[in-house]
């Protein structure tokens, strides 16, 4: 276990104790539920404070869960309320369930989106994301201390305070098995892939069960206090107890691998697939550590220098073979695309940099951030030339006209803004979306702007006066938020991506959306290749795909082995540059044609 890093979430007080923790894959988004009735959403690559507090519960937040990238959040409290939040509209929430007793356990299947929740009175409920229907499972009045759901295995596991471990069949609601542990249970964790459940009891011990067998496969002994939280991943486990320690274990040998002593007892923790750990303490701190070193996979042909200390959310070509990146480490990076050589790091934003765009013959770059500002930088000197204010929310997207005279930005305040870059001021506010604006684009003539939103629509606007020209698509047709929109070459047609991996296109008149293709995993954006006939689509599943912009047929794909967030084609270098959630840039070994590499393989 590496030396832990501690972030202070709130001033020490009786009400600030962290009682629930969840973490996205990659460990870049951490949620903490506290006795102060709030959910804190914060970024591990940022300053030591929550980015945002979510308020909606009337009592302590005892359970939190999130999807793989931390964009959808669910929280449960002692008030019996189950709330869903979206990072696209963080000031709003949806009430999923209300119950007379408090929520004590919560889980989300990150593949299907199903939610399972357990209560203090023993009730157990599960919601199918596909049908939105709730199933209530009975069988006990004993408090639920742990729950996990897997639609792929048609199973739900519930762990109860009296020591009962229950396995349920989701499709029928039938109880498949009930195993009695020898002592009352206080915490549990499940690894479906490995077929294991690890439980902690009042005898200060952890026991390892195989999911399909009624007897423990081993015991982990070493704590001298009640077990308060457990995580399990890839043959390793991590546990916290009232003795003030966090211990990591080798499940094959049952031996303790390492011990960490935070400044205060840990009441909750979360572990991701790569062994990163976030643990919340009774004093409101969050301790970050890992239970094993990352094992980076070697990728033949592609280079992956790691430059940023946090996810890269945006990458754009600015001139020749130079690209700019925006990162969750608050910085803008300037790199040589040919060899990923760092040229300059631009610092000044106080939150995530979500969008970048180059202009002025490649001498300047525009950045948009979660600090609600746009900033104009000189690439050569690194000087900050100006800051644009006007948005009241996270800036998600920016674009600059080909002549560099105007820019457009979209933000979580549900509006897009058109700016003049010399002098630097806002010209027009485009109002009409009912959720965060997630993508923007300008036509070659700069007369027309396109925007897309988490409300499920794409809109066209006249930039001269802000007049709304057309609404394309609607929420009930797309079901999931749009994440990016682009004009395709000189044709005037649009191509857009939505969060669920669907890629959309229009005809030249932009009258209606047509489904072009769907790729596995979430998609945060895409790039139109220089020929205007192909689009490159990076996915959270780790694969980059090149599709025909006309038919949607997959021309080529390459597995880069890590969640991908953005990509850009660099005409001067004839390469593709792909960004990932671990701060890396992947540089294609061949020109940015459909042949990504000699070893590129189709799905």
């Amino acid at each position: 276990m590496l030396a832990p890093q501690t972030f202070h979430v709130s001033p020490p007080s009786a009400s600030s104790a962290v009682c629930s923790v969840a973490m996205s894959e990659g460990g870049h988004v951490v949620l903490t539920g506290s006795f102060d009735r709030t959910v804190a959403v914060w970024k591990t690559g940022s300053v030591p404070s929550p980015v945002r507090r979510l308020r909606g519960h009337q009592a302590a937040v005892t359970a939190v869960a999130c999807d793989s990238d931390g964009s959808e959040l669910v929280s449960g409290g002692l008030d019996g309320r189950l709330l869903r939040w979206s990072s696209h509209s963080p000031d709003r929430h949806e009430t999923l369930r209300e119950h007379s007793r408090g929520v004590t356990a919560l889980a989300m299947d990150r593949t299907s989106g199903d939610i399972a929740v357990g209560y203090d009175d023993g009730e157990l409920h599960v919601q199918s994301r596909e049908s939105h229907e709730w199933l209530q499972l009975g069988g006990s009045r004993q408090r639920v201390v742990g729950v996990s759901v897997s639609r792929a295995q048609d199973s739900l596991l519930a762990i109860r305070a009296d020591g009962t471990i229950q396995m349920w069949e989701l499709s029928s609601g039938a109880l498949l098995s009930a195993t009695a542990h020898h002592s009352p249970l206080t915490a549990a964790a499940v690894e479906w892939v490995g077929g294991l459940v690890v439980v902690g009891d009042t005898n200060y011990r952890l026991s390892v069960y195989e999911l399909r067998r009624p007897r423990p496969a081993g015991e982990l002994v070493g704590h001298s206090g009640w077990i308060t939280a457990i995580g399990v991943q890839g043959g390793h486990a991590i546990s916290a107890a009232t003795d003030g320690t966090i211990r990591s274990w080798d499940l094959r040998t049952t031996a303790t691998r390492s011990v960490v002593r935070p400044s205060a007892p840990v009441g909750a923790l979360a572990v991701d697939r790569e062994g990163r750990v976030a643990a919340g303490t009774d004093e409101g701190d969050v301790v970050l550590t890992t239970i094993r070193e990352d094992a980076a996979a070697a990728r033949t042909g592609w280079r992956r220098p790691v430059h940023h200390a946090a996810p890269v959310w945006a990458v754009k070509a600015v001139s020749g073979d130079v690209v700019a990146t925006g990162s969750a480490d608050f910085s803008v990076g300037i790199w040589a695309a040919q060899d990923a050589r760092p040229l300059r790091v631009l610092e000044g934003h106080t939150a995530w940099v979500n969008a970048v765009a180059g202009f002025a013959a490649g001498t300047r770059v525009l950045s948009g951030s979660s600090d609600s500002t746009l900033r104009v930088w000189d690439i050569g000197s690194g000087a900050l030339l100006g800051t644009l204010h006007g948005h009241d929310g996270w800036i998600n997207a920016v674009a600059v006209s080909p002549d560099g005279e105007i820019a457009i930005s979209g933000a979580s305040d549900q509006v897009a803004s058109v700016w003049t870059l010399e002098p630097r001021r806002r010209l027009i506010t485009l109002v009409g979306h009912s959720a965060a604006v997630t993508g923007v684009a300008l036509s070659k003539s700069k007369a027309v702007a396109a925007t897309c939103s988490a409300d499920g629509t794409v809109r066209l606007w006249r930039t001269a006066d802000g007049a709304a020209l057309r609404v394309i698509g609607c929420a009930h047709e797309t079901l999931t938020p749009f994440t990016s929109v682009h004009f395709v070459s000189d044709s005037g047609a649009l191509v857009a991506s939505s969060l669920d991996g669907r890629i959309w296109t229009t005809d030249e008149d932009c009258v209606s959306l047509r489904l072009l293709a769907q790729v596995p995993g979430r998609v945060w954006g895409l790039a139109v290749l220089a020929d205007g006939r192909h689009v490159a689509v990076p996915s959270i599943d780790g694969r980059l795909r090149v599709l025909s912009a006309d038919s949607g047929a997959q021309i080529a794909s390459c597995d880069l082995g890590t969640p991908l967030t953005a990509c850009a084609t660099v005409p001067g270098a004839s390469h593709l540059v792909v960004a990932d959630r671990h701060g890396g840039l992947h540089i294609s070994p061949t020109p940015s044609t459909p042949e990504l590499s000699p070893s590129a393989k189709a799905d």
Side-chain angles (χ1 to χ4, degrees):
M1 184 181 290
L2 300 183
Q5 180 182 14
T6 302
F7 286 155
H8 202 61
V9 176
S10 56
S13 70
S15 64
S16 69
V18 176
C19 47
S20 53
V21 176
M23 180 168 52
S24 67
E25 292 301 335
H28 304 303
V29 178
V30 173
L31 314 179
T32 57
S34 300
F35 279 102
D36 64 5
R37 301 178 294 180
T38 69
V39 178
V41 183
W42 58 288
K43 315 298 186 278
T44 59
S46 67
V47 295
S49 62
V51 170
R52 188 179 295 270
R53 283 194 180 274
L54 309 180
R55 292 177 170 84
H57 286 284
Q58 304 301 314
V61 182
T62 49
V64 289
C66 67
D67 60 4
S68 295
D69 50 34
S71 63
E72 182 174 301
L73 327 172
V74 180
S75 60
L78 290 181
D79 55 4
R81 303 181 73 200
L82 190 67
L83 307 180
R84 175 182 280 140
W85 315 76
S86 169
S87 63
H88 299 289
S89 302
D91 295 325
R92 303 178 181 179
H93 64 264
E94 173 191 1
T95 301
L96 296 178
R97 204 78 166 161
E98 290 186 300
H99 192 64
S100 60
R101 299 295 294 271
V103 174
T104 54
L106 176 64
M108 177 187 291
D109 183 337
R110 289 180 169 175
T111 301
S112 68
D114 292 358
I115 296 169
V117 56
Y119 295 94
D120 183 56
D121 61 1
E123 287 203 14
L124 189 63
H125 303 166
V126 59
Q127 184 194 45
S128 165
R129 182 61 183 270
E130 182 177 359
S131 67
H132 299 286
E133 294 181 353
W134 285 91
L135 173 67
Q136 181 172 335
L137 305 173
S140 175
R141 295 185 178 274
Q142 290 291 325
R143 177 167 54 92
V144 180
V145 299
V147 66
S148 186
V149 59
S150 172
R151 178 63 62 177
Q153 300 202 30
D154 193 27
S155 299
L156 181 145
L157 192 77
I159 296 90
R160 299 184 181 274
D162 66 350
T164 304
I165 303 171
Q166 296 177 321
M167 179 72 76
W168 300 82
E169 185 177 63
L170 288 178
S171 56
S172 65
L175 178 63
L176 299 179
S177 65
T179 300
H181 187 69
H182 53 71
S183 304
L185 298 176
T186 57
V190 179
E191 185 180 45
W192 291 100
V193 174
L196 298 176
V197 56
V198 180
V199 297
D201 61 35
T202 54
N203 291 327
Y204 313 157
R205 297 191 175 196
L206 292 92
S207 297
V208 183
Y209 286 84
E210 295 180 8
L211 288 176
R212 304 301 177 183
R213 293 188 179 182
R215 289 182 294 181
E219 284 193 335
L220 311 177
V221 180
H223 281 297
S224 58
W226 279 25
I227 312 300
T228 56
I230 304 172
V232 59
Q233 197 283 326
H236 302 274
I238 188 165
S239 59
T242 56
D243 60 11
T245 66
I246 302 175
R247 290 177 177 264
S248 67
W249 311 82
D250 187 326
L251 293 181
R252 292 166 296 183
T253 65
T254 69
T256 299
R257 299 179 66 244
S258 59
V259 180
V260 170
R261 293 185 180 275
S263 59
V266 168
L269 61 80
V271 184
D272 75 356
R273 287 186 304 185
E274 297 182 14
R276 298 179 184 87
V277 180
T281 76
D282 291 350
E283 291 184 350
D285 291 327
V286 171
V287 179
L288 303 180
T289 185
T290 181
I291 55 177
R292 61 183 176 89
E293 299 285 354
D294 293 340
R299 295 290 159 185
T300 302
W302 287 72
R303 297 185 301 282
R304 185 191 178 271
V306 179
H307 294 303
H308 286 283
V312 178
W313 295 130
V315 57
K316 289 288 177 65
V318 295
S319 71
D321 71 342
V322 176
V323 297
T325 54
S327 171
D329 65 8
F330 301 4
S331 74
V332 177
I334 306 297
W335 321 100
Q338 187 73 29
D339 55 8
R341 184 177 72 258
L343 302 177
R344 192 172 297 279
V345 177
L346 309 177
E347 297 179 319
H349 281 294
T350 59
W352 288 12
V353 180
N354 303 313
V356 291
F359 67 103
T363 63
R364 297 180 180 180
V365 65
L366 177 70
S367 58
S369 168
S370 294
D371 64 11
S372 302
T373 70
L374 294 99
R375 297 181 184 233
V376 179
W377 311 83
D378 181 85
I379 292 176
S381 66
L384 175 63
L385 301 179
T387 302
L388 302 174
H389 299 273
H391 280 293
D392 187 25
W394 299 359
I395 296 174
N396 299 314
V398 298
V400 178
S401 63
D403 60 12
E405 292 185 356
I406 65 171
I408 183 172
S409 57
S412 62
D413 58 7
Q414 303 181 10
V415 303
S417 297
V418 179
W419 311 79
T420 178
L421 294 175
E422 201 61 51
R424 290 180 285 273
R425 62 186 180 88
R426 182 156 66 174
L427 295 176
I428 297 167
T429 300
L430 308 178
V431 179
H433 284 294
S434 59
V437 179
T438 53
V440 296
L442 286 166
S443 65
K444 186 175 182 180
S445 68
K446 71 182 180 187
V448 177
T451 60
C452 67
S453 169
D455 66 9
T457 66
V458 174
R459 294 173 180 256
L460 295 180
W461 315 80
R462 191 164 56 221
T463 56
D465 56 7
L469 300 178
R470 186 168 295 133
V471 179
I472 312 171
C474 58
H476 73 269
E477 290 178 349
T478 62
L479 299 179
T480 59
F482 282 104
T483 54
S484 71
V485 63
H486 308 262
F487 284 96
V488 180
S489 188
D490 300 331
S491 69
L494 296 173
V495 63
S497 60
S498 56
L499 192 61
D500 62 356
R502 285 186 282 185
I503 311 301
W504 306 83
T505 189
T506 70
D507 55 19
E508 294 183 8
D509 296 329
C510 296
V511 174
S512 60
L513 286 167
R514 172 175 63 88
L515 181 62
L516 184 67
Q518 181 160 13
V519 305
R522 294 196 166 189
V523 172
W524 292 104
L526 54 81
V528 179
L529 300 193
D531 61 9
R533 297 183 296 109
H534 300 92
V535 294
V537 183
S539 171
I540 292 297
D541 73 351
R543 188 174 286 274
L544 178 72
R545 297 169 175 86
V546 173
L547 310 177
S548 165
D550 295 323
S551 67
Q554 180 172 296
I555 308 302
S557 70
C558 188
D559 184 4
L560 297 178
T562 187
L564 305 178
T565 54
C567 70
T569 181
V570 187
S574 297
H575 283 267
L576 278 172
V577 180
V578 186
D580 69 37
R581 287 199 314 201
H582 301 301
L585 296 178
H586 303 256
I587 315 299
S588 68
T590 56
S592 57
T593 60
E595 292 77 26
L596 296 180
S597 74
S599 61
K601 51 185 180 295
D603 293 338

